[in-house]
Amino acid sequence: MVDFSIYDQKQPEVNALQCPNCKTVYYPAPMVCTKCHTRRDPSQVFFSAWDKVPVEGPCKLLTWTRVWALPEGYNVKYLQFGVVEFENGLRASVRLEADEPRTGMALYAAAGVTTERSGKDVYGLIARAP
Ligand SMILES: [Zn+2]
């Protein structure tokens, strides 16, 4: 489950969830672990909570794309998106901010604010060249 914990802290963060039984990390997380069938209960009434694991740090670019046809309201020519793999094997889709993206390149991903569009800030996972 994507968790943008922006309301109780200054710095936004994105978390993956880890199964408390078999330690498999998911992003996004299912309601039932696909490996050991441990249930996830966001209310924590019936089952224990799954641990939050920050989705942040060094990663490798697996694939990427550049979108030129943007909806009205964007003040940039294009946006780039990618799929990265972190050192723990977790994969995530990211906003890609690299001048010349290359598949396999080393990046650093962290939660941040995307401000291409006027209006409210939008929080997301951003990958940049280290
Ligand atoms: Zn499990």
Side-chain angles (χ1 to χ4, degrees), residues 78-94:
Y78 58 81
L79 294 176
Q80 296 177 150
F81 301 91
V83 174
V84 298
E85 185 174 82
F86 292 91
E87 290 169 341
N88 64 3
L90 196 70
R91 292 179 175 184
S93 60
V94 296

Side-chain angles (χ1 to χ4, degrees), residues 74-114:
Y74 283 88
N75 57 12
V76 292
K77 285 184 183 173
Y78 58 81
L79 294 176
Q80 296 177 150
F81 301 91
V83 174
V84 298
E85 185 174 82
F86 292 91
E87 290 169 341
N88 64 3
L90 196 70
R91 292 179 175 184
S93 60
V94 296
R95 172 68 64 81
L96 179 60
E97 293 186 356
D99 291 337
E100 292 179 27
R102 283 171 290 103
T103 301
M105 75 186 296
L107 296 168
Y108 189 94
V113 179
T114 61

Side-chain angles (χ1 to χ4, degrees), residues 34-60:
T34 57
K35 294 198 174 151
C36 73
H37 308 293
T38 295
R39 288 176 180 262
R40 182 165 67 88
D41 177 17
S43 68
Q44 299 175 36
V45 173
F46 300 105
F47 302 101
S48 61
W50 288 25
D51 297 325
K52 284 183 181 179
V53 177
V55 180
E56 184 175 317
C59 53
K60 187 176 77 173

Side-chain angles (χ1 to χ4, degrees), residues 19 21-24 26 33 35-38:
C19 172
N21 185 42
C22 71
K23 305 301 179 191
T24 302
Y26 291 97
C33 179
K35 294 198 174 151
C36 73
H37 308 293
T38 295

